[in-house]
Amino acid sequence: MLFGKWNWILLLFNLAIAAVLFFLSDQQNLLSLINSIFYVSFFYFIVAMLLFVIKGRVLDGITRSFRKFGKVMSKGMLDFEENGAPSEWVNRSFLSYMQFQAAVLIGLMLILLALFYLI
């Protein structure tokens, strides 16, 4: 459920973090608020993109190669296949939480940035 209760609670928590960063800054103006929201949204954007790449099975082949190499180097004494592929580690609901937070925070930041340049 993309628009669940936990998404909105986490969004309010993120906005509270951005507000704390805003009030801790030297100046309290619109640009400082935009920067504060950027700091929080950048974290979510990077984590969401990293999880998206992992979930897209990009790293599975590389991981499989390193595991085969490790098995050859240890002469079959260690079994590296027990952890599964990295794409199986990523939970879809956690990825959707991260994507939702990043999208809403970046959207809010862009709206405020448009207001900043229009004023």
Side-chain angles (χ1 to χ4, degrees):
M1 188 158 76
L2 186 61
F3 296 107
K5 181 176 76 169
W6 291 109
N7 270 332
W8 297 107
I9 291 172
L10 186 59
L11 181 63
L12 289 174
F13 180 71
N14 290 326
L15 290 175
I17 292 173
V20 168
L21 290 173
F22 171 68
F23 288 117
L24 289 177
S25 67
D26 295 336
Q27 302 173 359
Q28 277 77 30
N29 55 19
L30 185 57
L31 187 59
S32 295
L33 179 62
I34 293 169
N35 288 338
S36 300
I37 294 174
F38 171 76
Y39 298 144
V40 177
S41 65
F42 185 71
F43 168 76
Y44 279 99
F45 180 74
I46 293 298
V47 170
M49 288 297 108
L50 180 65
L51 291 175
F52 183 74
V53 167
I54 291 171
K55 189 66 178 168
R57 304 177 62 101
V58 173
L59 302 176
D60 287 353
I62 297 168
T63 305
R64 190 177 310 113
S65 299
F66 276 114
R67 287 178 181 167
K68 284 183 182 179
F69 179 74
K71 193 171 187 175
V72 167
M73 294 305 290
S74 69
K75 296 182 179 40
M77 297 170 60
L78 298 173
D79 187 21
F80 295 103
E81 299 295 328
E82 63 190 30
N83 292 333
S87 62
E88 297 170 358
W89 302 344
V90 178
N91 188 353
R92 281 197 188 272
S93 64
F94 184 69
L95 177 60
S96 68
Y97 276 128
M98 290 294 177
Q99 288 174 334
F100 177 78
Q101 297 300 318
V104 171
L105 289 170
I106 289 172
L108 178 64
M109 182 188 65
L110 290 175
I111 289 169
L112 291 174
L113 200 58
L115 283 173
F116 177 75
Y117 282 112
L118 288 175
I119 295 178

Coordinates of all heavy atoms in Angstrom, one line a residue, residues 35-114:
N35 N 17.3 24.3 1.5 CA 18.6 23.5 1.8 C 18.3 22.4 2.8 O 18.8 21.3 2.7 CB 19.7 24.4 2.3 CG 20.2 25.3 1.2 OD1 20.1 24.9 0.0 ND2 20.8 26.4 1.5
S36 N 17.6 22.7 3.8 CA 17.3 21.7 4.9 C 16.5 20.5 4.3 O 16.8 19.3 4.6 CB 16.5 22.3 6.0 OG 17.2 23.3 6.6
I37 N 15.5 20.8 3.5 CA 14.7 19.7 2.8 C 15.6 19.0 1.9 O 15.5 17.7 1.7 CB 13.5 20.3 2.2 CG1 12.5 20.9 3.2 CG2 12.7 19.3 1.3 CD1 11.3 21.6 2.7
F38 N 16.5 19.7 1.2 CA 17.4 19.0 0.3 C 18.3 18.0 1.0 O 18.5 16.9 0.5 CB 18.3 20.0 -0.4 CG 19.4 19.4 -1.2 CD1 19.1 18.8 -2.5 CD2 20.7 19.3 -0.8 CE1 20.1 18.2 -3.2 CE2 21.7 18.7 -1.5 CZ 21.4 18.2 -2.7
Y39 N 18.8 18.3 2.2 CA 19.7 17.4 2.9 C 18.9 16.1 3.2 O 19.5 15.0 3.1 CB 20.2 18.0 4.2 CG 21.0 19.3 4.0 CD1 20.9 20.3 4.9 CD2 21.9 19.4 2.9 CE1 21.7 21.4 4.7 CE2 22.7 20.5 2.8 CZ 22.6 21.5 3.7 OH 23.3 22.7 3.5
V40 N 17.7 16.2 3.7 CA 16.9 15.0 4.0 C 16.5 14.3 2.8 O 16.7 13.0 2.7 CB 15.7 15.4 4.8 CG1 14.8 14.2 5.2 CG2 16.1 16.1 6.1
S41 N 16.1 14.9 1.7 CA 15.6 14.3 0.5 C 16.8 13.6 -0.2 O 16.6 12.6 -0.9 CB 14.9 15.2 -0.4 OG 15.7 16.2 -0.9
F42 N 18.0 14.2 -0.2 CA 19.1 13.6 -0.8 C 19.5 12.3 -0.2 O 19.8 11.3 -1.0 CB 20.3 14.6 -0.7 CG 21.5 14.2 -1.5 CD1 21.6 14.2 -2.9 CD2 22.7 13.7 -0.8 CE1 22.7 13.8 -3.6 CE2 23.8 13.3 -1.5 CZ 23.8 13.3 -2.9
F43 N 19.4 12.2 1.1 CA 19.7 10.9 1.7 C 18.7 9.8 1.2 O 19.1 8.7 0.8 CB 19.5 11.0 3.3 CG 19.5 9.7 4.0 CD1 20.6 9.0 4.1 CD2 18.3 9.2 4.5 CE1 20.6 7.7 4.8 CE2 18.2 8.0 5.1 CZ 19.4 7.3 5.3
Y44 N 17.4 10.1 1.2 CA 16.4 9.2 0.7 C 16.6 8.9 -0.8 O 16.4 7.7 -1.2 CB 15.0 9.7 1.0 CG 14.6 9.5 2.4 CD1 14.6 10.5 3.3 CD2 14.1 8.2 2.8 CE1 14.3 10.2 4.6 CE2 13.8 8.0 4.1 CZ 13.8 9.0 5.0 OH 13.5 8.8 6.3
F45 N 16.9 9.8 -1.6 CA 17.1 9.6 -3.0 C 18.3 8.7 -3.2 O 18.2 7.7 -4.0 CB 17.4 11.0 -3.7 CG 17.6 10.8 -5.2 CD1 16.5 10.6 -6.0 CD2 18.9 11.0 -5.7 CE1 16.7 10.5 -7.4 CE2 19.1 10.8 -7.1 CZ 18.0 10.6 -7.9
I46 N 19.4 8.9 -2.5 CA 20.6 8.0 -2.7 C 20.3 6.6 -2.3 O 20.6 5.6 -3.0 CB 21.8 8.6 -2.0 CG1 22.3 9.9 -2.6 CG2 23.0 7.6 -1.9 CD1 22.7 9.8 -4.0
V47 N 19.6 6.4 -1.1 CA 19.3 5.1 -0.6 C 18.3 4.4 -1.6 O 18.5 3.2 -1.9 CB 18.8 5.2 0.8 CG1 18.2 3.8 1.3 CG2 19.8 5.6 1.8
A48 N 17.3 5.1 -2.0 CA 16.3 4.6 -3.0 C 17.0 4.1 -4.3 O 16.7 3.1 -4.8 CB 15.2 5.5 -3.2
M49 N 17.9 4.9 -4.8 CA 18.6 4.6 -6.0 C 19.5 3.4 -5.9 O 19.6 2.5 -6.7 CB 19.4 5.8 -6.6 CG 18.5 6.9 -7.2 SD 17.6 6.3 -8.6 CE 15.9 6.3 -7.9
L50 N 20.2 3.3 -4.7 CA 21.0 2.2 -4.4 C 20.2 0.9 -4.3 O 20.5 -0.1 -4.9 CB 21.8 2.4 -3.1 CG 22.8 1.3 -2.7 CD1 23.9 1.1 -3.7 CD2 23.3 1.6 -1.3
L51 N 19.1 1.0 -3.6 CA 18.2 -0.2 -3.5 C 17.6 -0.6 -4.8 O 17.4 -1.8 -5.1 CB 17.1 0.1 -2.4 CG 17.6 0.2 -1.0 CD1 16.4 0.5 -0.1 CD2 18.2 -1.1 -0.5
F52 N 17.3 0.4 -5.6 CA 16.7 0.1 -6.9 C 17.7 -0.6 -7.8 O 17.3 -1.5 -8.5 CB 16.3 1.5 -7.6 CG 15.6 1.3 -8.9 CD1 14.3 0.8 -9.0 CD2 16.3 1.6 -10.1 CE1 13.7 0.7 -10.2 CE2 15.6 1.5 -11.3 CZ 14.3 1.0 -11.4
V53 N 18.9 -0.2 -7.8 CA 20.0 -0.9 -8.6 C 20.2 -2.3 -8.1 O 20.3 -3.2 -8.9 CB 21.3 -0.1 -8.5 CG1 22.5 -0.9 -9.1 CG2 21.1 1.2 -9.3
I54 N 20.2 -2.5 -6.8 CA 20.4 -3.8 -6.2 C 19.2 -4.7 -6.6 O 19.4 -5.9 -6.9 CB 20.6 -3.7 -4.7 CG1 22.0 -3.1 -4.4 CG2 20.5 -5.1 -4.1 CD1 22.2 -2.8 -2.9
K55 N 18.0 -4.2 -6.4 CA 16.8 -4.9 -6.7 C 16.7 -5.3 -8.2 O 16.1 -6.3 -8.6 CB 15.5 -4.1 -6.3 CG 14.3 -4.9 -6.3 CD 14.3 -6.0 -5.3 CE 13.0 -6.8 -5.3 NZ 13.1 -8.0 -4.6
G56 N 17.3 -4.5 -9.0 CA 17.3 -4.7 -10.5 C 18.2 -5.8 -10.9 O 18.4 -5.9 -12.1
R57 N 18.8 -6.5 -10.0 CA 19.7 -7.6 -10.3 C 21.0 -7.3 -11.0 O 21.6 -8.1 -11.7 CB 19.0 -8.7 -11.0 CG 17.7 -9.2 -10.4 CD 16.9 -10.2 -11.2 NE 17.8 -11.4 -11.4 CZ 17.6 -12.5 -10.7 NH1 16.7 -12.6 -9.8 NH2 18.4 -13.5 -10.9
V58 N 21.4 -6.0 -10.9 CA 22.6 -5.6 -11.5 C 23.9 -6.2 -10.9 O 24.8 -6.6 -11.6 CB 22.7 -4.0 -11.5 CG1 24.1 -3.5 -12.0 CG2 21.6 -3.4 -12.3
L59 N 23.8 -6.3 -9.6 CA 25.0 -6.8 -8.8 C 25.0 -8.3 -8.6 O 26.0 -8.8 -8.1 CB 25.1 -6.1 -7.5 CG 25.1 -4.6 -7.5 CD1 25.1 -4.0 -6.1 CD2 26.4 -4.1 -8.2
D60 N 24.0 -9.0 -9.1 CA 23.9 -10.5 -8.9 C 25.0 -11.2 -9.6 O 25.6 -12.1 -9.0 CB 22.6 -11.0 -9.3 CG 21.4 -10.6 -8.4 OD1 21.7 -10.1 -7.3 OD2 20.3 -10.9 -8.7
G61 N 25.3 -10.9 -10.8 CA 26.4 -11.5 -11.6 C 27.7 -11.3 -11.0 O 28.6 -12.2 -10.9
I62 N 28.0 -10.1 -10.6 CA 29.3 -9.7 -9.9 C 29.5 -10.5 -8.6 O 30.5 -11.0 -8.4 CB 29.4 -8.2 -9.7 CG1 29.3 -7.4 -11.0 CG2 30.6 -7.8 -8.9 CD1 29.1 -6.0 -10.9
T63 N 28.4 -10.5 -7.8 CA 28.5 -11.3 -6.6 C 28.7 -12.8 -6.8 O 29.5 -13.4 -6.1 CB 27.2 -11.1 -5.8 OG1 26.9 -9.7 -5.6 CG2 27.2 -11.7 -4.4
R64 N 28.0 -13.3 -7.8 CA 28.2 -14.7 -8.1 C 29.6 -15.0 -8.5 O 30.2 -16.0 -8.1 CB 27.2 -15.1 -9.2 CG 27.1 -16.6 -9.5 CD 26.1 -17.0 -10.5 NE 24.8 -16.4 -10.3 CZ 24.3 -15.5 -11.2 NH1 24.9 -15.1 -12.2 NH2 23.1 -15.0 -10.9
S65 N 30.2 -14.1 -9.3 CA 31.6 -14.3 -9.8 C 32.6 -14.3 -8.6 O 33.5 -15.1 -8.5 CB 32.0 -13.2 -10.8 OG 31.2 -13.3 -11.9
F66 N 32.4 -13.3 -7.7 CA 33.2 -13.2 -6.5 C 33.1 -14.5 -5.6 O 34.0 -15.0 -5.0 CB 33.0 -12.0 -5.7 CG 33.7 -10.8 -6.2 CD1 33.0 -9.7 -6.7 CD2 35.1 -10.7 -6.1 CE1 33.7 -8.6 -7.2 CE2 35.8 -9.6 -6.6 CZ 35.1 -8.6 -7.2
R67 N 31.9 -15.0 -5.5 CA 31.6 -16.2 -4.7 C 32.3 -17.4 -5.3 O 32.9 -18.2 -4.6 CB 30.1 -16.5 -4.5 CG 29.5 -15.5 -3.6 CD 28.0 -15.7 -3.5 NE 27.4 -14.7 -2.6 CZ 26.1 -14.6 -2.5 NH1 25.3 -15.3 -3.2 NH2 25.7 -13.7 -1.6
K68 N 32.2 -17.5 -6.7 CA 32.9 -18.7 -7.3 C 34.4 -18.5 -7.2 O 35.1 -19.5 -6.9 CB 32.6 -18.7 -8.8 CG 31.2 -19.2 -9.1 CD 30.9 -19.3 -10.6 CE 29.5 -19.8 -10.8 NZ 29.2 -19.8 -12.3
F69 N 34.9 -17.3 -7.3 CA 36.4 -17.1 -7.1 C 36.8 -17.4 -5.7 O 37.8 -18.1 -5.4 CB 36.7 -15.7 -7.4 CG 38.2 -15.3 -7.2 CD1 39.1 -15.8 -8.1 CD2 38.6 -14.6 -6.1 CE1 40.5 -15.5 -8.0 CE2 40.0 -14.3 -6.0 CZ 40.9 -14.8 -6.9
G70 N 36.0 -17.0 -4.7 CA 36.3 -17.3 -3.3 C 36.2 -18.8 -3.0 O 37.0 -19.4 -2.2
K71 N 35.3 -19.5 -3.7 CA 35.2 -21.0 -3.5 C 36.4 -21.7 -4.1 O 37.0 -22.6 -3.5 CB 33.9 -21.5 -4.1 CG 33.6 -22.9 -3.7 CD 32.2 -23.2 -4.2 CE 31.8 -24.6 -3.7 NZ 30.4 -24.9 -4.0
V72 N 36.9 -21.2 -5.3 CA 38.1 -21.8 -5.9 C 39.3 -21.5 -5.0 O 40.1 -22.4 -4.8 CB 38.3 -21.2 -7.3 CG1 39.6 -21.6 -7.9 CG2 37.2 -21.7 -8.2
M73 N 39.4 -20.3 -4.5 CA 40.6 -19.9 -3.7 C 40.6 -20.7 -2.4 O 41.7 -21.0 -1.8 CB 40.7 -18.4 -3.5 CG 40.9 -17.6 -4.7 SD 42.4 -18.2 -5.6 CE 43.7 -17.6 -4.6
S74 N 39.5 -21.0 -1.8 CA 39.4 -21.7 -0.5 C 39.4 -23.2 -0.8 O 39.2 -24.0 0.2 CB 38.2 -21.3 0.3 OG 37.0 -21.7 -0.3
K75 N 39.5 -23.6 -2.0 CA 39.5 -25.0 -2.5 C 38.3 -25.8 -2.0 O 38.3 -26.9 -1.6 CB 40.8 -25.7 -1.9 CG 42.0 -25.2 -2.5 CD 43.3 -25.9 -2.0 CE 44.5 -25.4 -2.6 NZ 44.7 -24.0 -2.8
G76 N 37.1 -25.1 -2.1 CA 35.8 -25.7 -1.8 C 35.5 -25.9 -0.4 O 34.6 -26.5 0.0
M77 N 36.4 -25.4 0.5 CA 36.2 -25.6 1.9 C 35.1 -24.7 2.5 O 34.4 -25.0 3.5 CB 37.5 -25.3 2.7 CG 38.6 -26.3 2.3 SD 40.2 -25.9 2.9 CE 39.9 -25.9 4.7
L78 N 34.8 -23.5 1.9 CA 33.8 -22.6 2.3 C 32.7 -22.5 1.3 O 32.9 -22.5 0.1 CB 34.4 -21.2 2.5 CG 35.5 -21.0 3.5 CD1 36.1 -19.6 3.5 CD2 35.0 -21.3 4.9
D79 N 31.5 -22.4 1.8 CA 30.3 -22.3 0.9 C 29.8 -20.9 1.0 O 29.3 -20.5 2.0 CB 29.2 -23.3 1.3 CG 28.1 -23.3 0.4 OD1 28.3 -22.9 -0.8 OD2 27.0 -23.8 0.7
F80 N 29.9 -20.2 -0.1 CA 29.5 -18.8 -0.2 C 28.1 -18.6 -0.7 O 27.6 -17.5 -0.8 CB 30.5 -18.0 -1.0 CG 31.9 -17.9 -0.5 CD1 32.9 -18.7 -1.0 CD2 32.2 -17.1 0.6 CE1 34.2 -18.6 -0.5 CE2 33.5 -17.0 1.1 CZ 34.5 -17.8 0.5
E81 N 27.4 -19.7 -1.1 CA 26.1 -19.6 -1.7 C 25.0 -19.4 -0.7 O 23.8 -19.3 -1.1 CB 25.9 -20.8 -2.6 CG 26.9 -20.9 -3.7 CD 26.8 -19.8 -4.7 OE1 25.6 -19.2 -4.9 OE2 27.8 -19.4 -5.3
E82 N 25.3 -19.5 0.6 CA 24.2 -19.5 1.6 C 23.5 -18.2 1.8 O 22.4 -18.2 2.2 CB 24.8 -20.0 2.9 CG 25.8 -19.0 3.5 CD 26.5 -19.6 4.7 OE1 26.7 -20.8 4.8 OE2 26.9 -18.8 5.5
N83 N 24.1 -17.1 1.4 CA 23.4 -15.8 1.6 C 22.4 -15.4 0.5 O 21.6 -14.5 0.7 CB 24.5 -14.7 1.6 CG 25.4 -14.8 2.9 OD1 24.9 -15.3 3.9 ND2 26.6 -14.4 2.8
G84 N 22.4 -16.0 -0.6 CA 21.5 -15.7 -1.7 C 22.0 -14.5 -2.5 O 23.0 -13.9 -2.2
A85 N 21.3 -14.2 -3.5 CA 21.6 -13.0 -4.4 C 21.3 -11.7 -3.7 O 20.3 -11.6 -2.9 CB 20.9 -13.2 -5.7
P86 N 22.0 -10.7 -4.0 CA 21.8 -9.4 -3.4 C 20.4 -8.8 -3.7 O 19.8 -8.1 -2.9 CB 22.8 -8.4 -3.9 CG 23.9 -9.3 -4.3 CD 23.3 -10.6 -4.7
S87 N 19.8 -9.2 -4.9 CA 18.5 -8.7 -5.3 C 17.4 -9.3 -4.4 O 16.3 -8.7 -4.2 CB 18.2 -9.0 -6.7 OG 18.2 -10.4 -6.9
E88 N 17.7 -10.4 -3.7 CA 16.7 -11.0 -2.8 C 16.8 -10.4 -1.4 O 15.8 -10.6 -0.6 CB 17.0 -12.5 -2.7 CG 16.9 -13.3 -4.0 CD 17.4 -14.7 -3.9 OE1 17.9 -15.1 -2.8 OE2 17.3 -15.4 -4.9
W89 N 17.8 -9.6 -1.1 CA 17.9 -9.0 0.2 C 17.0 -7.8 0.3 O 16.6 -7.4 1.4 CB 19.3 -8.5 0.4 CG 20.4 -9.6 0.4 CD1 20.2 -10.9 0.4 CD2 21.8 -9.4 0.3 NE1 21.4 -11.6 0.3 CE2 22.4 -10.7 0.3 CE3 22.6 -8.3 0.2 CZ2 23.8 -10.8 0.2 CZ3 23.9 -8.4 0.1 CH2 24.5 -9.7 0.1
V90 N 16.7 -7.1 -0.8 CA 15.9 -5.9 -0.8 C 14.4 -6.2 -0.7 O 13.9 -6.9 -1.5 CB 16.2 -5.0 -2.0 CG1 15.4 -3.8 -2.0 CG2 17.7 -4.7 -2.1
N91 N 13.8 -5.6 0.3 CA 12.4 -5.8 0.5 C 11.6 -4.8 -0.3 O 12.0 -3.6 -0.3 CB 12.1 -5.5 2.0 CG 10.6 -5.9 2.4 OD1 9.8 -6.1 1.5 ND2 10.4 -5.8 3.7
R92 N 10.6 -5.2 -1.1 CA 9.9 -4.3 -2.0 C 9.2 -3.2 -1.2 O 9.1 -2.1 -1.7 CB 8.9 -5.1 -2.8 CG 9.5 -5.8 -4.0 CD 8.4 -6.2 -4.9 NE 8.9 -7.0 -6.0 CZ 9.5 -6.5 -7.1 NH1 9.5 -5.3 -7.3 NH2 9.9 -7.4 -8.0
S93 N 8.6 -3.5 -0.1 CA 7.9 -2.5 0.7 C 8.9 -1.4 1.2 O 8.5 -0.2 1.2 CB 7.1 -3.1 1.8 OG 7.9 -3.7 2.8
F94 N 10.0 -1.8 1.6 CA 11.0 -0.8 2.1 C 11.5 0.0 1.0 O 11.7 1.3 1.1 CB 12.2 -1.6 2.7 CG 13.2 -0.6 3.3 CD1 13.0 0.1 4.5 CD2 14.5 -0.5 2.7 CE1 13.9 1.0 5.0 CE2 15.4 0.3 3.3 CZ 15.1 1.1 4.4
L95 N 11.7 -0.5 -0.2 CA 12.1 0.2 -1.4 C 11.0 1.2 -1.8 O 11.3 2.4 -2.1 CB 12.3 -0.7 -2.6 CG 12.6 -0.1 -3.9 CD1 13.9 0.8 -3.8 CD2 12.8 -1.1 -5.0
S96 N 9.7 0.8 -1.7 CA 8.6 1.8 -2.0 C 8.5 2.9 -0.9 O 8.2 4.0 -1.3 CB 7.3 1.0 -2.1 OG 6.9 0.5 -0.9
Y97 N 8.8 2.6 0.3 CA 8.9 3.6 1.3 C 9.9 4.7 1.0 O 9.7 5.9 1.0 CB 9.2 3.1 2.7 CG 8.1 2.5 3.5 CD1 8.1 1.2 4.0 CD2 6.9 3.3 3.7 CE1 7.1 0.7 4.8 CE2 5.9 2.8 4.5 CZ 6.0 1.5 5.0 OH 4.9 1.0 5.7
M98 N 11.1 4.2 0.6 CA 12.2 5.1 0.3 C 11.9 5.9 -1.0 O 12.2 7.1 -1.0 CB 13.5 4.3 0.1 CG 14.1 3.7 1.3 SD 14.6 5.0 2.4 CE 15.1 4.1 3.8
Q99 N 11.3 5.3 -2.0 CA 11.0 6.0 -3.2 C 9.9 7.1 -2.9 O 9.9 8.2 -3.5 CB 10.5 5.0 -4.3 CG 11.6 4.2 -4.8 CD 11.1 3.1 -5.8 OE1 10.0 2.7 -5.7 NE2 12.0 2.7 -6.7
F100 N 8.9 6.7 -2.1 CA 7.8 7.7 -1.8 C 8.4 8.9 -1.0 O 8.1 10.0 -1.4 CB 6.7 7.0 -1.0 CG 5.6 7.9 -0.5 CD1 4.7 8.3 -1.4 CD2 5.6 8.4 0.8 CE1 3.6 9.1 -1.0 CE2 4.6 9.3 1.2 CZ 3.6 9.6 0.3
Q101 N 9.2 8.6 0.0 CA 9.8 9.7 0.7 C 10.7 10.6 -0.1 O 10.6 11.8 -0.1 CB 10.6 9.2 1.9 CG 9.9 8.4 2.9 CD 8.8 9.2 3.6 OE1 8.9 10.3 3.9 NE2 7.6 8.6 3.7
A102 N 11.5 10.0 -1.0 CA 12.3 10.8 -1.9 C 11.5 11.6 -2.8 O 11.8 12.8 -3.0 CB 13.3 9.9 -2.6
A103 N 10.5 11.0 -3.4 CA 9.7 11.7 -4.4 C 8.9 12.9 -3.8 O 8.9 14.0 -4.3 CB 8.7 10.8 -5.1
V104 N 8.3 12.7 -2.6 CA 7.5 13.8 -2.0 C 8.4 14.9 -1.5 O 8.2 16.1 -1.7 CB 6.7 13.2 -0.8 CG1 6.0 14.3 0.0 CG2 5.6 12.3 -1.4
L105 N 9.6 14.5 -0.9 CA 10.5 15.6 -0.4 C 11.1 16.3 -1.6 O 11.3 17.6 -1.5 CB 11.5 14.9 0.5 CG 11.1 14.5 1.8 CD1 12.1 13.6 2.5 CD2 10.6 15.6 2.7
I106 N 11.5 15.7 -2.6 CA 12.1 16.4 -3.8 C 11.0 17.2 -4.4 O 11.3 18.4 -4.9 CB 12.7 15.4 -4.8 CG1 14.0 14.8 -4.2 CG2 13.0 16.0 -6.1 CD1 14.6 13.7 -5.0
G107 N 9.8 16.7 -4.5 CA 8.7 17.6 -5.1 C 8.4 18.8 -4.2 O 8.3 19.9 -4.8
L108 N 8.4 18.7 -2.9 CA 8.2 19.8 -2.0 C 9.4 20.8 -2.2 O 9.2 22.0 -2.2 CB 8.1 19.4 -0.6 CG 8.0 20.4 0.5 CD1 6.7 21.2 0.3 CD2 8.1 19.8 1.9
M109 N 10.6 20.3 -2.3 CA 11.8 21.1 -2.5 C 11.7 21.9 -3.8 O 12.0 23.1 -3.9 CB 13.0 20.3 -2.4 CG 14.3 21.1 -2.6 SD 15.8 20.1 -2.7 CE 15.4 19.3 -4.3
L110 N 11.3 21.2 -4.9 CA 11.1 21.9 -6.2 C 10.1 23.0 -6.1 O 10.2 24.0 -6.8 CB 10.9 20.9 -7.2 CG 12.1 20.0 -7.6 CD1 11.6 18.9 -8.6 CD2 13.2 20.8 -8.1
I111 N 9.0 22.7 -5.4 CA 7.9 23.7 -5.3 C 8.4 25.0 -4.6 O 8.2 26.1 -5.0 CB 6.7 23.2 -4.6 CG1 6.0 22.2 -5.5 CG2 5.7 24.3 -4.2 CD1 4.9 21.4 -4.9
L112 N 9.1 24.7 -3.5 CA 9.7 25.8 -2.7 C 10.8 26.6 -3.5 O 10.9 27.8 -3.4 CB 10.3 25.4 -1.4 CG 9.3 24.9 -0.4 CD1 10.0 24.3 0.9 CD2 8.4 26.1 0.0
L113 N 11.6 25.8 -4.3 CA 12.6 26.4 -5.2 C 12.0 27.3 -6.2 O 12.5 28.4 -6.5 CB 13.4 25.3 -5.8 CG 14.8 25.7 -6.3 CD1 15.7 26.4 -5.2 CD2 15.5 24.5 -6.9
A114 N 10.8 26.9 -6.8 CA 10.1 27.7 -7.8 C 9.6 29.0 -7.1 O 9.7 30.0 -7.7 CB 9.0 26.9 -8.4

